[in-house]
C-alpha cells in the first residue's frame, strides 16, 4: 500500500515524468490516460516544475477538443495555472488559440460546459485575453439556465473589477438583471457585485424589495446584512430603516442569518430593545445549535454583550441560557454558568437557583456522563449566587450540605468551603448549619472535608452545643476510644485479680464490678492442630490467626468504620492535629463562660477531662503507628494547654478563640476587595477632557474614520477590525512601534553570503507569519531561488514559498505561514537554494529561528481548589534551583519572575506581606491560548551573609514541553539579570527604585 502524504510529495528523479513522455501520453493516449497525465502535469507545476509552457500546444491540439468533461475541467485548471506570458512580459501567441476555444465554450449549448468556461473567465486577468470574451459573457447573462447566469454574473464582476474599461456599464447591466431575476443564487451574486461595485444601486434595489427580504434565501439575506452593516455607518439618515430590516432578519430560520443580524444590530445601536432582541436571538442559537464550537462562539458574544450593556440584558433569558447546561461538553457548561452568573440579578436569582437545584439533583444518576465534575461546577455556581445574593443562602445551604459525604472529593471540598463562608458571613444561619453539620459528621469520606467540618465546629459551636459536639466526635472516633476503654477495664480486672490472689481468694475485690473483655477486631489467636505426614507419622502444626482484619472502608465484620476512626487508622494524622485544636477551642470556650456562670464550672471540668482523654487516645493510636512529628507536637501542645495554667491565660485564649476567626475574616475581606476592584476596573471610565460625541451633529465620514467614541457612526467596522486582527495586520492608527518590530528581526545569513536574508517574525495567536527579505549581493542573476523551511516541535509549515528569480543587486520579499498547535518552544530552520547556470545549483544554510513561548502564555486566575487539583493531576514537573545575586528583596524577585514568565500570582496579598522574615512562598498560574495550564510554586529565602536569594521553583504542566520551556525561560532570565543585561536587569532596577 502506498504511503499517504498530507503535502505534495517531492518526486524522485527516477520516477519524475519527462516532457517527451508527457507529450506522448497527451498525443496518443485515451481520455483516461490524458486525465492521469494532466493530473501529473498539474502536480508537477504546483511543485515548481517548469515544463508547463512546453506542453501548451499539445494541450491545445489533443486535450481541448475532447468532450470528456473531467478532462475539460482539468484543462481549465491547467490554463489557470500555466504562465501565459513570455520572458519579456508579452502574451504568448498560443493564447489566441486558447481564447478562440474558450469563446466557443462560452457559446456551447451544454450549460455545464458553458458554466465551467465562465468560471475560468473569473480567474483570468489579462485584458488582451478577456476582451474577445466580453460579448459572450454578456450574452450568457440572458441564458435560460440559472447555473449559467450565476456564473456569468461572477465573470462580469471579475472583468469589471480588474479591467473596468472592458465593460464599463456592468453595474447598470447587473442592476437590470437583478430587477427581473427570480433565482436566489443569481440574485445573491448580482447583489454582491452591486454591493461592492455600485452601492447606490444595491441600496435602491434593497429599498424596492424591503418587504420581501425575510422570504429570500439565506445567502441573499447574508449579503443584505453585510450591506446594511457597511452602509448604516455612512448613511445616518437611513439607519432607522436598516435597523428595522435587521430586526426582521432576527426571525430568520437560518442560524447564520440570525447570528449575523444580531451581531450587526449590536454594532449599530445600543438601544435597550435592540439589546434584548439580540440577546434573545443569541440564547435561541445557543440552545438549538448542535456544534460545540458554535455554542462557545455564541457564549462569547453574549458575554461581550453583557459587559457592554449590563443593565439592559433581559432577566427572563437567564434561565433559557442555562438550558445549555444539558450539553455534555464541560467547556460549554463552564462558559454557560459563567455567563449566566453575569446575567443573574436580584430579580431572577430565585429562578436561577431553582434551575441549578434541579440540575444538581440530576447528577445523582450514576449513568450521567462526567457527573462528579458537573456536580462540582453546579456547587461552585450556587456558592457564588449565595454569596452575591444573601437572600438565597438559607435556601441552598442545607441542600448543598447533603453532598458533604459525596464520593467525589472535589465536590465535597467545595461544599465545606461554601458552608464555612456562609457560617462566617451570615450569623443568623449558624445554629441550623451547626446542627445539620453534626448530623452529617459520620457521613464524611474525605480527610479534607472532615478537617473543614472540625474547624467550623471548633470556631462557631455555641456553649449549649458543646456536649453534643463532643459526643458526636467520640462516636466518630469509634474503636480508637473503645479499645482504650477496654484496655483500662482489662487493667482494672487484672489488678483486682492480683489483689484477690494475694488474699488467698479467687474472687474479685469487693465493690469491683465484673468486666467482660470481648475479643477485639484484629486480636491474635494461636491454634494447634495435629497432622498426618506423608510417611505416616504425626506432627503438630501451630497457626497464628486473627479474629478479623479491618479494611480501608470498614472493620473486620465488613461494616463501615466511623470517618475519624478510618482516617486516623489509615494514617491521616493531620486530621488528628485539627481535631486537637477543635477540642481545645470547645474546652476553652466553655471554661471562659464558666468564669461568669458558676453553674457551668462542673460541665467545664467534665468537658476538659473528656477532651484530654480523647486526645490521649489519639496520641496512643498515633504512637502505635507512624504519626508525623508535626501532628504529634500539635496534639501535645493542645494537651499541655488544657492541663496547665494556660487555660486561664487570656493571651492563649485570644489566639485560639479570636485570631483564627479573624484571619478567616481577613481572607474573605481580601476576596471581596479583589472582586470589587475587578468590577471597578471593568466599569467604563471617561476622563474629564474626553470629547463628547453627538451622533446627530457629527459629519458622516465615508472612509470610516470615526470620532472619540469609535462606535456607532465612526471608527473601523468591527467585522473588518476582527479580520484585521485575525490576519495579524496592524489596525489603522495602531502601527507597531519601531523598536518592537526591530526586536523581532532575525538575521538568517551573513553579510558575506551571496544571498543576504533576514526575517521578521509576526506572532499572532495560532499563526506565525515570517516576512523574509532576500537580497542578491552578487553581480549575476539567481534563478529558481527557493526558500526552504522546516520546523521542529509543534509547528507546521502551511505553504511553501514559490521560487523567484533575483536580478543582480536586487531584493525580494517572501512570506511563509506557520501554524502553531501547542505551547512549546519551536525551532524553524532551513536553507536557500538557487541556480546560477544550467547545471550549477548552490545552497545557503539559514540560521535557526527560535519561537518564544511567552507569545502564547497569558496570566490567568483560578481558585485554590482548582490549583491543587491540577497540581495533583499534572505529571510533568520541572524543578529550577534559584541562586540569585541580583537583589535581596524577595518580593521584587517574585515580581521579576511574574514578568519573565507571564504568570499571575494566586497567593493573596496578605499572605505575601511580612517578607521581612526572610522566607517567601507563592503559587503562580498561567494559561496558554491553546487552553493549556501552567502551574508554578515559588519557595525562596534570603541567603545568609548577603548571599542573595536561594530556593527553588517547581513547574508543573500536563505536557513536557511547556514545563521544560518555562524552566529554560526562568533560568535564562536569572542569568541575564545576574549579568546586568537585557530587560530583566532593567525590570529589577526599576523595582528596586
Amino acid at each position: 500500500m502506498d504511503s499517504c502524504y498530507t503535502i505534495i510529495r517531492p518526486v524522485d528523479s527516477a520516477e519524475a515524468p519527462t516532457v517527451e513522455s508527457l507529450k506522448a501520453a497527451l498525443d496518443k493516449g485515451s481520455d483516461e490516460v490524458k486525465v492521469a497525465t494532466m493530473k501529473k502535469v498539474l502536480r508537477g507545476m504546483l511543485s515548481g516544475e517548469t515544463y508547463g509552457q512546453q506542453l501548451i500546444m499539445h494541450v491545445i491540439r489533443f486535450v481541448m477538443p475532447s468532450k470528456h468533461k473531467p478532462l475539460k475541467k482539468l484543462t481549465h485548471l491547467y490554463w489557470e495555472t500555466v504562465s501565459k506570458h513570455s520572458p519579456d512580459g508579452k502574451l504568448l501567441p498560443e493564447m489566441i488559440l486558447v481564447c478562440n476555444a474558450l469563446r466557443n465554450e462560452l457559446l456551447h449549448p451544454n450549460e455545464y460546459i458553458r458554466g465551467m468556461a465562465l468560471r475560468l473567465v473569473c480567474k483570468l486577468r489579462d485584458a488582451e485575453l478577456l476582451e474577445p470574451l466580453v460579448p459572450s459573457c454578456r450574452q450568457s447573462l440572458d441564458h435560460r439556465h440559472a447555473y449559467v447566469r450565476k456564473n456569468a454574473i461572477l465573470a462580469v464582476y471579475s472583468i469589471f473589477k480588474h479591467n473596468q474599461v472592458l465593460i464599463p456599464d456592468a453595474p447598470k447591466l447587473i442592476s437590470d438583471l437583478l430587477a427581473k431575476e427570480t433565482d436566489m443564487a443569481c440574485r445573491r451574486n448580482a447583489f454582491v457585485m452591486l454591493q461592492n461595485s455600485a452601492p447606490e444601486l444595491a441600496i435602491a434595489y434593497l429599498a424596492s424589495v424591503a418587504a420581501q427580504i425575510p422570504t429570500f434565501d439565506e445567502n441573499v439575506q447574508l449579503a443584505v446584512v453585510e450591506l446594511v452593516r457597511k452602509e448604516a455607518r455612512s448613511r445616518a439618515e437611513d439607519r432607522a430603516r436598516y435597523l428595522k430590516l435587521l430586526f426582521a432578519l432576527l426571525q430568520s430560520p437560518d442560524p447564520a442569518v440570525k447570528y449575523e443580524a444580531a451581531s450587526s444590530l449590536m454594532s449599530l445601536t445600543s438601544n435597550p430593545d435592540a439589546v434584548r432582541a439580540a440577546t434573545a436571538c443569541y440564547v435561541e442559537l445557543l440552545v438549538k445549535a448542535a456544534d460545540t464550537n458554535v455554542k462557545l462562539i455564541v457564549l462569547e458574544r453574549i458575554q461581550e454583550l453583557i459587559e457592554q450593556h449590563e443593565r439592559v440584558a433581559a432577566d427572563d433569558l437567564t434561565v433559557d441560557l442555562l438550558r445549555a447546561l444539558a450539553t455534555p461538553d464541560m467547556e460549554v457548561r463552564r462558559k454557560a454558568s459563567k455567563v449566566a452568573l453575569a446575567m443573574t440579578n436580584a430579580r431572577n436569582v430565585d429562578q436561577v437557583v431553582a434551575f441549578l437545584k434541579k440540575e444538581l439533583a440530576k447528577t445523582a444518576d450514576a449513568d450521567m456522563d462526567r457527573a462528579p465534575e458537573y456536580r462540582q461546577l453546579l456547587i461552585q455556581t450556587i456558592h457564588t449566587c449565595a454569596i452575591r445574593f444573601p437572600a438565597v443562602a438559607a435556601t441552598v445551604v442545607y441542600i448543598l450540605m447533603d453532598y458533604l459525604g459525596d464520593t467525589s472529593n472535589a465536590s465535597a471540598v467545595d461544599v465545606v468551603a461554601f458552608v464555612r463562608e456562609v457560617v462566617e458571613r451570615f450569623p443568623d444561619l449558624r445554629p441550623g448549619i451547626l446542627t445539620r453539620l453534626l448530623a452529617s459528621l459520620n457521613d464524611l469520606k474525605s480527610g479534607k472535608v472532615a478537617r473543614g467540618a472540625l474547624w467550623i465546629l471548633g470556631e462557631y459551636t455555641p456553649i449549649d452545643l458543646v456536649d453534643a459536639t463532643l459526643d458526636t466526635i467520640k462516636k466518630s472516633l469509634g474503636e480508637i476510644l473503645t479499645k482504650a476503654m477496654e484496655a483500662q477495664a482489662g487493667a482494672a480486672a487484672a489488678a483486682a485479680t492480683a489483689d484477690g490472689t494475694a488474699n488467698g481468694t479467687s474472687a474479685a475485690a469487693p465493690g469491683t464490678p465484673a468486666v467482660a473483655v470481648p475479643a477485639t477486631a484484629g486480636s491474635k489467636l494461636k491454634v494447634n492442630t495435629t497432622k498426618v505426614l506423608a510417611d505416616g507419622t504425626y506432627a503438630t502444626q501451630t497457626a497464628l490467626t486473627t479474629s478479623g482484619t479491618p479494611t480501608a472502608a470498614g472493620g473486620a465484620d465488613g461494616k463501615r468504620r466511623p470517618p475519624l476512626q478510618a482516617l486516623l487508622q489509615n494514617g491521616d494524622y493531620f486530621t488528628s492535629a485539627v481535631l486537637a485544636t477543635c477540642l481545645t477551642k470547645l474546652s476553652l470556650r466553655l471554661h471562659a463562660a464558666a468564669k461568669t456562670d458558676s453553674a457551668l464550672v462542673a460541665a467545664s471540668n467534665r468537658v476538659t477531662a473528656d477532651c484530654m482523654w480523647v486526645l490521649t487516645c489519639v496520641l496512643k493510636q498515633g504512637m502505635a503507628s507512624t504519626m508525623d512529628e508535626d501532628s504529634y507536637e500539635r496534639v501535645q501542645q493542645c494537651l499541655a494547654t488544657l492541663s496547665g495554667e494556660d487555660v486561664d491565660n487570656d493571651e492563649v485564649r485570644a489566639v485560639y478563640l479570636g485570631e483564627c476567626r479573624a484571619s478567616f475574616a481577613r481572607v474573605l475581606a481580601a476576596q471581596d476587595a479583589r472582586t470589587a476592584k475587578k468590577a471597578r476596573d471593568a466599569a467604563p471610565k471617561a476622563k474629564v477632557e474626553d470629547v463628547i460625541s453627538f451622533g446627530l451633529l457629527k459629519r458622516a465620514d465615508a472612509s470610516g474614520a470615526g470620532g472619540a467614541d469609535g462606535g456607532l457612526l465612526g471608527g473601523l467596522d468591527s467585522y473588518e477590525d476582527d479580520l484585521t486582527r485575525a490576519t495579524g495586520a496592524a489596525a489603522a492608527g495602531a502601527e507597531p512601534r519601531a523598536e518592537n518590530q526591530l526586536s523581532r528581526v532575525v538575521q538568517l545569513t551573513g553579510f558575506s553570503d551571496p544571498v543576504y536574508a533576514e526575517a521578521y517574525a509576526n506572532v499572532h495567536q495560532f499563526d506565525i507569519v515570517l516576512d523574509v527579505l532576500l537580497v542578491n549581493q552578487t553581480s549575476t542573476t539567481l534563478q529558481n531561488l527557493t526558500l526552504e523551511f522546516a520546523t521542529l516541535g509543534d509547528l507546521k509549515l502551511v505553504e511553501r514559498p514559490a521560487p523567484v528569480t533575483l536580478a543582480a543587486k536586487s531584493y525580494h520579499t517572501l512570506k511563509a505561514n506557520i501554524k502553531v498547535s501547542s505551547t512549546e518552544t519551536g525551532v524553524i530552520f532551513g536553507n536557500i537554494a538557487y541556480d546560477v547556470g544550467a547545471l550549477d545549483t548552490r545552497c545557503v544554510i539559514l540560521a535557526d529561528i527560535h519561537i518564544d513561548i511567552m507569545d502564547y502564555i497569558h496570566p490567568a486566575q483560578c481558585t485554590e481548589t482548582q490549583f491543587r487539583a491540577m497540581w495533583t493531576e499534572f505529571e510533568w514537573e520541572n524543578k529550577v534551583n534559584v541562586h540569585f545575586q541580583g537583589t535581596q528583596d524577595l518580593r521584587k524577585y517574585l515580581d521579576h519572575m511574574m514578568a519573565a514568565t507571564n504568570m499571575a500570582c494566586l497567593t493573596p496579598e496578605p499572605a505575601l506581606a511580612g517578607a521581612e522574615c526572610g522566607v517567601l512562598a507563592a503559587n503562580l498560574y498561567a494559561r496558554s491560548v491553546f487552553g493549556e495550564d501552567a502551574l508554578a510554586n515559588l519557595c525562596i529565602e534570603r541567603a545568609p551573609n548577603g548571599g542573595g536569594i536561594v530556593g527553588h521553583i517547581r513547574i508543573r504542566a500536563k505536557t513536557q514541553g511547556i514545563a521544560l520551556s518555562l524552566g529554560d525561560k526562568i533560568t535564562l532570565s536569572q542569568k541575564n539579570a545576574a549579568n546586568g543585561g537585557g530587560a530583566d536587569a532593567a525590570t529589577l532596577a526599576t523595582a528596586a527604585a
Side-chain angles (χ1 to χ4, degrees):
M1 180 178 178
D2 295 336
S3 301
C4 179
Y5 297 88
T6 56
I7 60 175
I8 297 176
R9 177 186 173 187
V11 181
D12 297 334
S13 58
E15 59 184 43
T18 62
V19 177
E20 289 73 16
S21 63
L22 294 175
K23 288 181 178 180
L26 294 177
D27 186 2
K28 300 178 181 179
S30 61
D31 287 342
E32 288 74 15
V33 174
K34 292 180 181 179
V35 167
T37 304
M38 290 299 296
K39 289 182 179 179
K40 288 182 181 180
V41 171
L42 290 173
R43 280 196 295 265
M45 293 170 61
L46 293 176
S47 299
E49 298 293 340
T50 59
Y51 48 61
Q53 287 190 349
Q54 303 177 40
L55 301 173
I56 289 180
M57 283 308 300
H58 275 69
V59 173
I60 294 175
R61 292 174 56 193
F62 305 113
V63 179
M64 289 192 67
S66 175
K67 297 181 179 180
H68 194 260
K69 291 183 175 59
L71 184 58
K72 194 172 288 293
K73 185 173 183 180
L74 291 173
T75 306
H76 289 172
L77 293 176
Y78 172 80
W79 294 128
E80 180 183 343
T81 308
V82 72
S83 176
K84 307 170 186 63
H85 298 83
S86 60
D88 57 359
K90 295 182 179 179
L91 192 68
L92 293 174
E94 293 88 344
M95 290 297 109
I96 299 176
L97 300 176
V98 176
C99 180
N100 184 57
L102 190 57
R103 184 173 55 184
N104 292 335
E105 291 183 0
L106 289 175
L107 300 176
H108 199 281
N110 187 299
E111 62 272 7
Y112 176 75
I113 296 177
R114 200 164 184 171
M116 281 199 306
L118 288 167
R119 294 178 66 178
L120 176 59
V121 171
C122 296
K123 307 294 180 65
L124 302 178
R125 299 290 180 266
D126 298 289
E128 298 179 36
L129 196 59
L130 289 172
E131 185 175 5
L133 305 178
V134 171
S136 302
C137 293
R138 297 173 68 107
Q139 185 179 349
S140 297
L141 292 174
D142 298 326
H143 196 273
R144 58 180 177 79
H145 204 285
Y147 176 75
V148 176
R149 294 199 305 273
K150 73 174 184 179
N151 286 289
I153 294 172
L154 293 179
V156 170
Y157 177 34
S158 177
I159 296 172
F160 179 79
K161 183 178 180 180
H162 299 96
N163 299 278
Q164 187 173 348
V165 294
L166 296 180
I167 183 168
D169 60 336
K172 183 65 170 62
L173 190 66
I174 298 300
S175 178
D176 296 340
L177 173 66
L178 183 60
K180 59 183 180 180
E181 183 59 65
T182 57
D183 183 76
M184 288 299 172
C186 297
R187 280 184 178 179
R188 184 260 176 195
N189 292 350
F191 189 80
V192 168
M193 178 190 169
L194 293 180
Q195 172 185 336
N196 294 285
S197 303
E200 63 282 353
L201 295 179
I203 293 173
Y205 173 75
L206 192 64
S208 63
V209 296
Q212 306 173 24
I213 289 177
T215 63
F216 282 177
D217 181 75
E218 61 270 11
N219 293 321
V220 181
Q221 292 178 345
L222 288 173
V224 169
V225 171
E226 185 178 356
L227 175 68
V228 168
R229 186 178 65 245
K230 291 182 177 180
E231 296 298 325
R233 296 179 180 275
S234 58
R235 297 174 178 269
E237 65 277 5
D238 296 330
R239 285 181 68 246
R241 185 176 62 185
Y242 290 146
L243 294 179
K244 182 179 179 181
L245 181 59
L246 291 177
F247 267 103
L249 291 178
L250 289 178
Q251 309 302 322
S252 173
D254 186 73
V257 176
K258 295 169 72 72
Y259 177 82
E260 293 294 339
S263 301
S264 301
L265 189 63
M266 287 297 92
S267 66
L268 296 176
T269 181
S270 58
N271 183 275
D273 294 334
V275 174
R276 295 189 185 95
T279 307
C281 181
Y282 282 141
V283 171
E284 183 180 355
L285 288 175
L286 174 66
V287 174
K288 293 183 178 180
D291 188 79
T292 300
N293 294 323
V294 174
K295 290 180 179 290
L296 291 174
I297 293 173
V298 173
L299 285 170
E300 287 286 349
R301 286 294 184 181
I302 297 176
Q303 186 174 8
E304 293 175 2
L305 188 147
I306 294 172
E307 291 174 356
Q308 297 174 3
H309 312 283
E310 181 179 0
R311 298 184 178 181
V312 295
D315 298 336
D316 54 345
L317 296 175
T318 307
V319 177
D320 293 336
L321 185 143
L322 284 173
R323 290 165 57 191
L325 294 177
T327 305
D329 186 79
M330 285 304 302
E331 190 65 27
V332 174
R333 288 173 171 174
R334 292 191 189 95
K335 192 70 176 178
S337 61
K338 180 180 179 181
V339 175
L341 282 176
M343 297 176 65
T344 304
N345 52 41
R347 296 185 296 273
N348 59 10
V349 64
D350 293 331
Q351 300 176 5
V352 172
V353 171
F355 185 91
L356 294 176
K357 287 180 183 178
K358 293 179 181 179
E359 291 295 314
L360 191 60
K362 294 179 182 178
T363 60
D365 187 1
D367 297 333
M368 187 175 186
D369 186 26
R370 306 179 73 175
E373 192 174 356
Y374 184 37
R375 186 184 306 120
Q376 181 184 4
L377 175 64
L378 292 173
I379 290 173
Q380 293 172 353
T381 307
I382 295 175
H383 179 180
T384 306
C385 285
I387 300 305
R388 285 178 53 192
F389 306 99
V392 301
T395 63
V396 300
V397 64
Y398 300 113
I399 295 176
L400 292 186
M401 289 183 71
D402 293 336
Y403 295 91
L404 281 172
D406 191 13
T407 54
S408 174
N409 183 35
S411 300
V413 169
D414 287 338
V415 171
V416 78
F418 168 66
V419 173
R420 181 178 60 181
E421 189 170 350
V422 169
V423 169
E424 173 63 27
R425 292 180 183 272
F426 309 110
D428 296 340
L429 301 178
R430 289 177 187 172
I433 293 177
L434 292 173
T435 303
R436 186 68 171 269
L437 187 60
L438 287 176
S440 304
L441 191 61
N442 286 327
D443 297 329
L444 306 182
K445 298 181 178 64
S446 167
K448 192 169 185 178
V449 177
R451 292 192 291 271
L454 289 174
W455 187 89
I456 295 172
L457 293 174
E459 286 293 337
Y460 302 101
T461 300
I463 297 174
D464 54 344
L465 286 180
V466 169
D467 289 332
T469 302
L470 190 57
D471 292 341
T472 304
I473 291 175
K474 288 180 180 179
K475 292 179 182 178
S476 185
L477 286 171
E479 290 182 357
I480 295 178
L481 301 184
T482 57
K483 285 184 179 181
M485 296 173 62
E486 292 165 1
Q488 291 176 1
T497 303
D499 291 342
T501 304
N503 294 330
T505 63
S506 59
T512 302
V515 179
V517 182
T520 59
S523 61
K524 298 179 180 179
L525 299 176
K526 182 181 290 186
V527 179
N528 296 326
T529 58
T530 302
K531 295 290 185 181
V532 180
L533 302 180
D535 57 357
T537 59
Y538 293 92
T540 302
Q541 181 181 19
T542 302
L544 190 64
T545 62
T546 58
S547 61
T549 303
T551 61
D557 54 358
K559 295 182 179 179
R560 181 177 179 273
R561 292 178 292 171
L564 293 182
Q565 172 194 338
L567 291 172
L568 297 183
Q569 289 180 345
N570 291 337
D572 187 2
Y573 288 106
F574 182 36
T575 303
S576 66
V578 179
L579 172 63
T581 305
C582 172
L583 295 178
T584 304
K585 291 177 181 179
L586 294 177
S587 178
L588 291 178
R589 186 174 293 112
L590 190 58
H591 187 76
K595 286 188 173 182
T596 58
D597 188 356
S598 57
L600 297 176
V601 173
S604 174
N605 294 334
R606 175 176 51 79
V607 168
T608 302
D610 285 348
C611 292
M612 294 177 65
W613 176 69
V614 170
L615 295 183
T616 304
C617 296
V618 171
L619 270 182
K620 289 182 178 180
Q621 171 69 26
M623 293 170 65
S625 59
T626 57
M627 188 176 191
D628 60 281
E629 185 178 352
D630 292 338
S631 301
Y632 180 81
E633 290 181 357
R634 186 65 168 174
V635 178
Q636 285 277 37
Q637 178 189 5
C638 293
L639 269 174
T641 301
L642 294 178
S643 60
E645 296 179 356
D646 290 340
V647 176
D648 298 321
N649 191 322
D650 293 336
E651 293 182 359
V652 174
R653 188 183 304 115
V655 170
Y656 276 100
L657 302 182
E659 288 299 326
C660 294
R661 191 184 303 183
S663 298
F664 181 56
R666 287 194 294 270
V667 171
L668 295 182
Q671 292 179 359
D672 295 340
R674 286 198 300 270
T675 304
K677 182 178 182 300
K678 187 181 297 184
R680 290 194 302 269
D681 294 342
K685 298 178 181 179
K687 297 181 180 180
V688 177
E689 64 272 15
D690 284 349
V691 178
I692 301 177
S693 178
F694 296 94
L696 294 177
L697 303 180
K698 186 164 62 174
R699 179 176 60 86
D701 190 354
S703 63
D709 61 346
L712 299 181
L713 296 178
L716 198 65
D717 188 354
S718 60
Y719 283 76
E720 295 177 359
D721 189 25
D722 291 343
L723 182 60
T724 301
R725 286 186 277 114
T727 54
E735 292 294 331
R737 299 175 61 182
E739 57 268 25
N740 293 340
Q741 285 185 312
L742 292 177
S743 64
R744 292 185 177 273
V745 174
V746 180
Q747 183 177 345
L748 301 179
T749 62
F751 292 109
S752 60
D753 287 323
V755 179
Y756 173 77
E758 64 180 22
Y760 170 68
N762 185 11
V763 180
H764 179 72
Q765 285 195 350
F766 312 115
D767 299 287
I768 300 173
V769 180
L770 290 180
D771 196 346
V772 184
L773 172 65
L774 302 174
V775 180
N776 182 3
Q777 300 191 105
T778 66
S779 57
T780 59
T781 299
L782 305 182
Q783 299 177 355
N784 293 330
L785 190 145
T786 305
L787 185 62
E788 298 283 353
F789 277 123
T791 59
L792 184 65
D794 287 338
L795 305 176
K796 293 182 181 180
L797 186 64
V798 178
E799 56 182 349
R800 191 174 71 174
V804 297
T805 299
L806 269 183
K809 304 299 182 181
S810 65
Y811 63 90
H812 187 76
T813 301
L814 293 177
K815 291 184 183 293
N817 295 322
I818 296 175
K819 183 71 67 176
V820 185
S821 57
S822 72
T823 313
E824 293 187 13
T825 299
V827 180
I828 304 172
F829 55 94
N831 59 71
I832 299 176
Y834 58 91
D835 297 336
V836 177
L839 299 176
D840 189 4
T841 301
R842 300 179 184 179
C843 180
V844 179
I845 305 301
L846 303 179
D848 296 343
I849 303 175
H850 294 267
I851 303 302
D852 193 357
I853 187 179
M854 293 300 105
D855 292 322
Y856 305 102
I857 288 184
H858 305 290
Q861 294 289 334
C862 68
T863 63
E864 178 186 358
T865 304
Q866 293 171 339
F867 183 90
R868 292 181 181 274
M870 288 187 289
W871 188 269
T872 305
E873 176 187 355
F874 293 167
E875 57 185 7
W876 290 105
E877 177 173 318
N878 185 12
K879 185 175 181 179
V880 181
N881 293 323
V882 176
H883 189 77
F884 189 71
Q885 301 289 339
T887 182
Q888 282 282 104
D889 194 328
L890 301 179
R891 185 59 185 273
K892 298 299 185 296
Y893 181 82
L894 172 62
D895 295 338
H896 167 62
M897 282 296 104
M898 291 168 57
T901 58
N902 282 353
M903 302 187 81
C905 182
L906 301 182
T907 306
E909 188 66 28
L912 295 176
E916 60 276 1
C917 66
V919 179
L920 187 144
N923 292 330
L924 307 178
Y925 175 63
R927 190 174 178 86
S928 73
V929 296
F930 308 99
E932 300 168 323
D933 300 298
L935 314 177
N937 176 255
L938 176 78
C939 295
I940 54 177
E941 63 178 348
R942 293 195 191 97
N945 302 324
I949 297 175
V950 296
H952 62 268
I953 302 175
R954 297 168 62 193
I955 305 167
R956 285 200 180 184
K958 184 173 291 187
T959 58
Q960 182 184 17
I962 189 171
L964 294 178
S965 300
L966 275 177
D968 295 341
K969 186 68 178 178
I970 292 174
T971 303
L972 182 62
S973 175
Q974 289 185 120
K975 187 181 299 183
N976 291 341
N979 294 334
D984 299 306
T987 302
L988 281 177
T990 305

